[in-house]
Amino acid sequence: MKDTEIIELFLKRDREAIRESETKYAHLLTHIAGNILVSKEDVEECVNDTYMKLWDSIPPNQPESLKNYAARIVRNLAIDYYRHHTAICRNNEVVSITEELSEIIADRRNDYEQAEFDSLINSFLEGLDKESRVLFVKRYWQSESITALADMYGMKESAVKMRLLRIRKRFREYLKDNDVVVQD
């Protein structure tokens, strides 16, 4: 089933929308949550919470891409869940990812700012070569570890880190060029 059809089911408040979302995106959502959370039970709970959040947020929201919308929700929920449940002993990978991007961007305060920022990110990503774009998305959206990225691309970890650093620098400059306030 196409995303637009699933979104229509949500808009009609048809519970089949949740089943179709699960059928289509369970693997992706589990993968994203699993990169952030350690426990299988926590991952399952986070993914289930994502379906509930989809149900609660569509309508009023009507996303263009259900895949991206659901991925953003699961990622944010997993990070929140992780912070809440493991405040004492943090996962260094999640902290590292958050710190890497927080060096560039300030918190978005409302949905309008977030939507505008999402559009800027998409435009920035379109300007990258495919490998850089995939590295950026896998690292900062899907929370892949440096080790996993190095294995995927047959690179040394130091090379992945350097490439991501260069991409972040380009991203910072892109944001500045588009009059977005960035962290100094």
Side-chain angles (χ1 to χ4, degrees), residues 168-180:
R168 286 194 313 273
K169 284 181 180 179
R170 284 180 62 190
F171 185 47
R172 176 188 297 272
E173 291 306 313
Y174 181 82
L175 292 175
K176 284 181 181 179
D177 291 346
N178 284 280
D179 300 322
V180 175

Side-chain angles (χ1 to χ4, degrees), residues 75-139:
R75 180 182 178 277
N76 291 341
L77 285 174
I79 290 171
D80 289 346
Y81 191 87
Y82 179 82
R83 285 179 179 155
H84 181 329
H85 286 89
T86 60
I88 295 172
C89 52
R90 295 195 180 274
N91 174 330
N92 289 335
E93 196 67 37
V94 173
V95 172
S96 175
I97 291 168
T98 304
E99 288 173 355
E100 287 172 19
L101 281 184
S102 68
E103 292 171 0
I104 300 171
I105 55 177
D107 290 337
R108 300 288 148 229
R109 299 288 181 222
N110 61 47
D111 288 341
Y112 174 76
E113 286 178 346
Q114 185 62 49
E116 191 175 295
F117 189 71
D118 290 349
S119 177
L120 279 173
I121 290 175
N122 288 332
S123 295
F124 170 74
L125 291 173
E126 288 172 4
L128 295 176
D129 62 271
K130 183 177 180 180
E131 189 172 275
S132 294
R133 182 173 48 248
V134 172
L135 275 172
F136 186 91
V137 169
K138 285 193 174 289
R139 177 67 176 161

Side-chain angles (χ1 to χ4, degrees), residues 10-116:
F10 276 113
L11 293 172
K12 292 177 184 175
R13 308 308 291 159
D14 185 336
R15 293 193 184 272
E16 185 66 25
I18 294 174
R19 284 187 285 279
E20 291 295 332
S21 298
E22 183 176 15
T23 299
K24 191 166 185 181
Y25 295 117
H27 180 73
L28 173 67
L29 300 178
T30 301
H31 179 76
I32 292 170
N35 284 336
I36 298 169
L37 302 169
V38 178
S39 159
K40 181 180 177 183
E41 291 80 14
D42 290 347
V43 170
E44 289 174 5
E45 186 174 336
C46 183
V47 171
N48 287 333
D49 287 348
T50 299
Y51 298 129
M52 182 59 71
K53 186 96 168 168
L54 286 171
W55 181 259
D56 290 341
S57 66
I58 306 173
N61 296 322
Q62 192 170 348
E64 290 181 29
S65 168
L66 183 62
K67 177 182 178 181
N68 293 339
Y69 189 69
R72 179 172 46 171
I73 289 172
V74 77
R75 180 182 178 277
N76 291 341
L77 285 174
I79 290 171
D80 289 346
Y81 191 87
Y82 179 82
R83 285 179 179 155
H84 181 329
H85 286 89
T86 60
I88 295 172
C89 52
R90 295 195 180 274
N91 174 330
N92 289 335
E93 196 67 37
V94 173
V95 172
S96 175
I97 291 168
T98 304
E99 288 173 355
E100 287 172 19
L101 281 184
S102 68
E103 292 171 0
I104 300 171
I105 55 177
D107 290 337
R108 300 288 148 229
R109 299 288 181 222
N110 61 47
D111 288 341
Y112 174 76
E113 286 178 346
Q114 185 62 49
E116 191 175 295

Side-chain angles (χ1 to χ4, degrees), residues 135 145-160:
L135 275 172
S145 69
I146 297 293
T147 303
L149 291 171
D151 289 345
M152 279 181 223
Y153 291 98
M155 300 169 71
K156 292 183 180 182
E157 288 184 26
S158 59
V160 171

